[in-house]
Amino acid sequence: MSNMIEVTDVNFEQAVVQSDRPVLVDFWAPWCGPCKTVAPMLEAIADEFGDELTIAKVNVDDSPDVTAKMRIRGIPTLALFQDGGVIAQKTGAGSLSELRTFVKGNL
């Protein structure tokens, strides 16, 4: 879990928006089935891209403000932030290879 951080309404701005490196944010919830399938894929991505990417997990139930601000309608939603803004976003679980392509194609 070295390159994965838990982020909330309180530290989202600092941990994600102000980060000096790209951050892949996983908007998820404990009750969300597809979110559970994304978790191990994110571990793999963290291992693979750990040098160039931080992965942040946002529990939408615990962080309603940032979830609303980001207009998250469905979960899991993955948003890739760079230089303070979202450069790419995808909703749904998908496969590890799709996730790898999404990350690689936008870094």
Side-chain angles (χ1 to χ4, degrees):
M1 280 282 285
S2 55
N3 294 305
M4 293 181 77
I5 55 174
E6 297 281 333
V7 179
T8 63
D9 285 343
V10 177
N11 65 347
F12 186 85
E13 182 77 21
Q14 181 193 354
V16 176
V17 179
Q18 295 171 7
S19 176
D20 55 1
R21 54 193 256 162
V23 182
L24 180 63
V25 182
D26 173 27
F27 291 92
W28 71 286
W31 46 263
C32 161
C35 297
K36 291 183 176 83
T37 62
V38 170
M41 291 191 263
L42 288 173
E43 295 279 354
I45 294 293
D47 291 341
E48 206 173 317
F49 296 95
D51 296 341
E52 46 193 323
L53 180 70
T54 300
I55 294 179
K57 294 182 70 71
V58 175
N59 181 328
V60 296
D61 292 339
D62 296 343
S63 303
D65 294 348
V66 79
T67 301
K69 190 172 153 195
M70 291 293 305
R71 296 188 174 87
I72 302 300
R73 307 240 184 281
I75 55 173
T77 290
L78 298 170
L80 190 58
F81 280 77
Q82 196 163 9
D83 302 323
V86 177
I87 57 167
Q89 189 168 317
K90 78 190 269 316
T91 302
S95 67
L96 178 57
S97 62
E98 286 171 344
L99 181 54
R100 188 177 287 123
T101 301
F102 172 75
V103 171
K104 246 191 214 153
N106 291 296
L107 274 184

